[in-house]
C-alpha cells in the first residue's frame, strides 16, 4: 500500500498516521518492512505515560538510524566512534523566521552569527546550510518512518541523505576551524575570559574538537527547523486573535518596562514488558506515540478549536467567563510533551524556550502583527512539521 498507486502513497506523515489509525484502530502494529523493525503505534496518552515511566536510566529512542549509519559506517573515518547525542542509544549516548532561528542556534553551537540577517561574505554558504538542514528532515521522514530498503542495500535516497550529512559536516567543520583559529589568536593576544563568560563552543573545544564539531552539528539539526516551525505557530495565533495579542502585549510591556530590551512524534524502545491499552507488549518493542489527533480533541482540550492561552494559566476563565480553568486545563500531561520526557528529553529545551520567549516579546513590543490570509492546512508533516503556507505576516510599527 506504500508503493505507487497504493492507498498510503504520497501522504504526508500526519495524513499517513491518521489514515492507518482509521483503518487499524488506536493501537496497532506495523510489521517490519524492508529491513526495518516492527512498530507498535498508540494514540492513548495513558500508554505514553507507561512507556515513558518504564524507559529506565538509559532510554532507547529509535528514529535516527540513517544519521547513525552516516556516523558509524559512511564517515567512520571522521567520527571514529564519537556518535553525538541525537542518534546514540543506551549508555553511550531580516523578519525571516527560519534565518533568525538558524542565526540564534549558530550563536550557541558555533559561537558566531552566519550573516543570514545581513550582508555577509559567508551568506551563500550559510544559506546552503539552512536548506540542507531542511532537506535532512524531509529525507529522514522517508528513510525512518516509511518503508525503505536502505537497510538492505544502498538506495538512491540513502545516498542523498549521506550527501546531505557530508555537506553539513563539511560546512560546520569549516566554521569550527574558524572558531579555533580565532580563539588561538585571542589566547596569543592575552585575552582570557572567565569560565561563566565562555561560549558553549569554547568550553566544548577544550574537551575535544571532534566532540565540539558533532555537538554543533546535532544542535543545528535539532534546533533550527523545529524552532522556526514552532515560532510560526506562535506568531499565527496572536496574529489571528488580536484581542489575545493585546493582552499578551500588555503583559510583555509590564515585564519589560524600563529594560533595555530591543523563539510531535515520540518513539521509544520498551525496556521491560508492559501493558498498553490492555495488551501485553514485550520488552524490546518499538513504540510510536503520536498525539497529533489528541491535540485537537475535545476530550483532552475543551473548546479545542478556540485559541485560549488562558487554559494554561491557573485559576483563569475563558473569554465568556463561563468555563473555570480546571475545566479548560489539560487532564493528562502526557498528551502534550513537545520536548519529550525523562532522561532523553530534548537537551535544547531551555535554549528554545528562551529563544521563543525573547523573540515573541520583542516583536510584540515593537509591532502589531496581522495575518490576513487563510491558515487552512498551515503545516505539513515530514519528520517534523513545516509551514505549508506563505508566511505573509503584516507588521505595523507601534508608537512606543
Amino acid at each position: 500500500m506504500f508503493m505507487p498507486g497504493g492507498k498510503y502513497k504520497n501522504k504526508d506523515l500526519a495524513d499517513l498516521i491518521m489514515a492507518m489509525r482509521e483503518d487499524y484502530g488506536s493501537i496497532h502494529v506495523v510489521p517490519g518492512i524492508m529491513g526495518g523493525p516492527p512498530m507498535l503505534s498508540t494514540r492513548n496518552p495513558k500508554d505514553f505515560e507507561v512507556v515513558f515511566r518504564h524507559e529506565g536510566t538509559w532510554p532507547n529512542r529509535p528514529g535516527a538510524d540513517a544519521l547513525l549509519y552516516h556516523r558509524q559506517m559512511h564517515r567512520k573515518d571522521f567520527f571514529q566512534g564519537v556518535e553525538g547525542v541525537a542518534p546514540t542509544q543506551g549508555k553511550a549516548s531580516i523578519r525571516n523566521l527560519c534565518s533568525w532561528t538558524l542565526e540564534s542556534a549558530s550563536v550557541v553551537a558555533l559561537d558566531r552569527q552566519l550573516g543570514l540577517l545581513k550582508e555577509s561574505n559567508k551568506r551563500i554558504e550559510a544559506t546552503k546550510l539552512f536548506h540542507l538542514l531542511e532537506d535532512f528532515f524531509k529525507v529522514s521522514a522517508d528513510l525512518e518512518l516509511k518503508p525503505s530498503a536502505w537497510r538492505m542495500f544502498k538506495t538512491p535516497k540513502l545516498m542523498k541523505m549521506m550527501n546531505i550529512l557530508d555537506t553539513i559536516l563539511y560546512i560546520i567543520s569549516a566554521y569550527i576551524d574558524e572558531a579555533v583559529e580565532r580563539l588561538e589568536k585571542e589566547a596569543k593576544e592575552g585575552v582570557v575570559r572567565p569560565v561563566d563568560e565562555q561560549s558553549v563552543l569554547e568550553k566544548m573545544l577544550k574537551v575535544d574538537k571532534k566532540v565540539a564539531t558533532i555537538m554543533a552539528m546535532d544542535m543545528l539539526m535539532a534546533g533550527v527547523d523545529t524552532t522556526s516551525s514552532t515560532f510560526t505557530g506562535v506568531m499565527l495565533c496572536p496574529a489571528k486573535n488580536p484581542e489575545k495579542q493585546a493582552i499578551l502585549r500588555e503583559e510583555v510591556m509590564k515585564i519589560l518596562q524600563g529594560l533595555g530590551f530591543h523563539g510531535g512524534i515520540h518513539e521509544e524502545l520498551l525496556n521491560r514488558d508492559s501493558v498498553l491499552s490492555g495488551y501485553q507488549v514485550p520488552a524490546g518493542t518499538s513504540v510510536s506515540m503520536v498525539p497529533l489527533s489528541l491535540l485537537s480533541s475535545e476530550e483532552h482540550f475543551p473548546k479545542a478549536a478556540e485559541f485560549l492561552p488562558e487554559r494554561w494559566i491557573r485559576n483563569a476563565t475563558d473569554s465568556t467567563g463561563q468555563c473555570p480553568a480546571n475545566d479548560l486545563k489539560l487532564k493528562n500531561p502526557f498528551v502534550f510533551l513537545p520536548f519529550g520526557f525523562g532522561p532523553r528529553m530534548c537537551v535544547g529545551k531551555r535554549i528554545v524556550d528562551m529563544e521563543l520567549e525573547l523573540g515573541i516579546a520583542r516583536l510584540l513590543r515593537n509591532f502589531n502583527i496581522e495575518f490576513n490570509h487563510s491558515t487552512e492546512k498551515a503545516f505539513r508533516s515530514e519528520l517534523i512539521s513545516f509551514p505549508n503556507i506563505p508566511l505573509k505576516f503584516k507588521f505595523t510599527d507601534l508608537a512606543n
Side-chain angles (χ1 to χ4, degrees):
M1 288 193 283
F2 293 92
M3 304 303 288
K7 182 177 181 179
Y8 301 140
K9 180 66 176 176
N10 294 329
K11 288 185 178 292
D12 77 9
L13 188 57
D15 291 339
L16 171 63
I17 289 168
M18 296 301 289
M20 295 188 70
R21 194 143 285 159
E22 185 175 319
D23 290 341
Y24 304 113
S26 61
I27 181 168
H28 59 268
V29 175
V30 180
I33 302 174
M34 298 183 182
M39 179 70 67
L40 183 149
S41 178
T42 176
R43 68 184 297 271
N44 186 342
K46 293 181 180 179
D47 291 343
F48 300 172
E49 181 172 3
V50 171
V51 174
F52 280 126
R53 297 290 190 194
H54 289 181
E55 64 184 3
T57 306
W58 308 107
N60 191 324
R61 295 267 173 92
D65 290 354
L67 179 59
L68 194 61
Y69 177 87
H70 179 259
R71 296 181 179 182
Q72 287 186 339
M73 306 294 293
H74 183 75
R75 286 304 310 276
K76 183 178 180 180
D77 60 309
F78 173 83
F79 291 95
Q80 297 178 343
V82 182
E83 296 168 355
V85 174
T88 303
Q89 304 297 346
K91 192 170 182 178
S93 59
I94 307 171
R95 303 180 185 179
N96 182 312
L97 299 182
C98 298
S99 296
W100 168 69
T101 55
L102 178 51
E103 287 285 20
S104 301
S106 70
V107 170
V108 178
L110 300 172
D111 195 21
R112 59 165 294 165
Q113 293 183 337
L114 302 183
L116 283 167
L117 300 179
K118 60 184 179 181
E119 292 303 318
S120 165
N121 60 355
K122 288 286 186 179
R123 186 166 185 167
I124 294 178
E125 192 172 57
T127 301
K128 185 176 182 179
L129 176 59
F130 166 77
H131 289 300
L132 286 165
L133 292 170
E134 183 174 350
D135 289 343
F136 164 74
F137 281 105
K138 292 179 180 178
V139 180
S140 288
D142 290 330
L143 294 178
E144 305 289 359
L145 301 174
K146 297 179 182 180
S148 173
W150 75 264
R151 293 176 178 85
M152 302 167 67
F153 59 89
K154 295 181 179 179
T155 63
K157 191 146 286 187
L158 174 67
M159 299 319 297
K160 180 178 180 180
M161 173 63 91
M162 295 303 101
N163 182 61
I164 290 170
L165 293 172
D166 281 347
T167 312
I168 291 175
L169 175 60
Y170 174 80
I171 293 174
I172 290 178
S173 293
Y175 284 128
I176 295 292
D177 288 341
E178 289 181 8
V180 170
E181 185 178 339
R182 187 187 72 250
L183 292 171
E184 288 177 347
K185 181 180 178 183
E186 290 178 356
K188 290 178 180 178
E189 294 172 350
V191 177
V192 179
R193 282 184 289 273
V195 174
D196 59 351
E197 294 180 12
Q198 295 174 8
S199 67
V200 173
L201 178 61
E202 188 173 354
K203 293 175 182 177
M204 291 297 298
L205 284 170
K206 290 180 179 179
V207 178
D208 185 271
K209 182 180 177 181
K210 189 182 297 292
V211 171
T213 302
I214 297 169
M215 285 296 294
M217 191 174 178
D218 284 352
M219 281 191 279
L220 291 175
M221 287 194 297
V224 175
D225 288 290
T226 49
T227 307
S228 62
S229 292
T230 303
F231 196 79
T232 298
V234 172
M235 292 275 286
L236 285 172
C237 289
K240 300 295 282 188
N241 297 271
E243 72 285 354
K244 304 296 184 183
Q245 182 178 161
I247 294 172
L248 180 56
R249 179 176 292 107
E250 183 179 354
E251 294 179 359
V252 166
M253 296 302 285
K254 286 180 181 178
I255 294 172
L256 300 181
Q257 192 67 36
L259 298 178
F261 182 86
H262 287 284
I265 297 173
H266 302 292
E267 292 186 14
E268 191 84 24
L269 202 67
L270 283 181
N271 283 348
R272 66 178 75 173
D273 294 347
S274 305
V275 177
L276 304 181
S277 294
Y279 293 92
Q280 190 75 32
V281 182
T285 302
S286 291
V287 181
S288 175
M289 298 169 286
V290 189
L292 292 176
S293 61
L294 305 180
L295 301 182
S296 57
S297 166
E298 289 285 335
E299 177 186 356
H300 300 287
F301 293 93
K303 300 190 177 184
E306 297 183 44
F307 177 57
L308 299 172
E310 53 267 31
R311 74 171 72 247
W312 304 102
I313 302 174
R314 295 182 182 182
N315 303 320
T317 58
D318 67 2
S319 55
T320 67
Q322 297 178 348
C323 192
N326 60 351
D327 288 335
L328 277 175
K329 287 181 70 66
L330 186 62
K331 299 299 187 295
N332 189 322
F334 284 84
V335 172
F336 185 69
L337 291 171
F339 293 98
F341 179 85
R344 283 296 296 271
M345 73 181 298
C346 178
V347 295
K349 181 183 184 303
R350 288 184 175 83
I351 296 174
V352 174
D353 282 343
M354 180 176 65
E355 191 174 357
L356 294 174
E357 290 171 10
L358 293 178
I360 195 67
R362 180 171 183 177
L363 286 174
L364 287 175
R365 178 174 181 172
N366 292 285
F367 306 103
N368 182 65
I369 307 170
E370 299 175 57
F371 190 83
N372 302 314
H373 307 277
S374 172
T375 56
E376 185 178 359
K377 294 186 177 180
F379 295 90
R380 71 183 190 280
S381 184
E382 307 286 352
L383 192 65
I384 62 172
S385 294
F386 286 95
N388 195 43
I389 56 176
L391 301 181
K392 298 180 179 179
F393 288 98
K394 178 181 178 182
F395 296 90
T396 304
D397 292 300
L398 296 176
N400 64 319

